[in-house]
Amino acid sequence: MFWFLIAAVILMWGVWGIAEKMALAHGNPWQTLFAFLTWSAVAFTPVAAYFLYKFNGKTGFQINKLVWVWAFVAVASNGLAVIAFRYALLREGAGLVVALTAAYPIVTAIISTIFLKESLGWVGYLGIILTCAGVYLISLKS
């Protein structure tokens, strides 16, 4: 099940990058952001509410304050990233922009070792080095 989920994420994020580029062909970054957020709210709020109730019952709607704080941090950082991503898509092709921005797990790995005290190990550090090398190679113009 884990690998199915990973494959689904990779597939959907691949489609997402192309869909973002196509949307930008017909509007500016702020218009596409508004449309994205509107569709997100319309499509996923009812789904989230359903599963919240299904898995947590009536207590599911009592959400800890820190959940709201960290969700805000996540939304704010994602929102700023999405805006920068859209402007990058206006300047370069989707293949390049998506490939380069897909290196964000490097930041997550480094921050998680510092603040969450998660162990990375030598294989993780090697992965960071190889990812940086890959980002460099992708950024080279033919």
Side-chain angles (χ1 to χ4, degrees):
M1 180 62 147
F2 172 76
W3 291 109
F4 171 78
L5 294 171
I6 296 300
V9 169
I10 292 168
L11 176 64
M12 291 299 101
W13 278 348
V15 171
W16 168 74
I18 300 301
E20 290 281 4
K21 182 71 174 181
M22 296 301 293
L24 282 167
H26 303 284
N28 68 49
W30 296 104
Q31 292 168 325
T32 60
L33 178 63
F34 182 79
F36 177 83
L37 293 174
T38 301
W39 276 117
S40 294
V42 168
F44 293 109
T45 300
V47 172
Y50 169 76
F51 283 108
L52 186 62
Y53 183 77
K54 179 177 171 133
F55 291 115
N56 297 323
K58 292 180 182 176
T59 62
F61 292 97
Q62 298 170 356
I63 300 173
N64 183 299
K65 290 177 186 173
L66 287 177
V67 170
W68 290 103
V69 169
W70 286 109
F72 173 78
V73 172
V75 166
S77 62
N78 185 59
L80 293 171
V82 165
I83 292 166
F85 177 81
R86 283 178 166 82
Y87 277 102
L89 279 175
L90 287 174
R91 289 163 177 74
E92 289 290 341
L96 177 64
V97 173
V98 171
L100 293 177
T101 58
Y104 73 87
I106 294 171
V107 175
T108 304
I110 293 169
I111 291 174
S112 69
T113 60
I114 296 168
F115 294 106
L116 302 177
K117 307 299 183 215
E118 294 179 358
S119 177
L120 197 54
W122 73 270
V123 174
Y125 288 110
L126 177 62
I128 289 174
I129 292 167
L130 292 173
T131 302
C132 288
V135 166
Y136 172 74
L137 292 173
I138 289 170
S139 70
L140 295 175
K141 300 280 183 186
S142 297

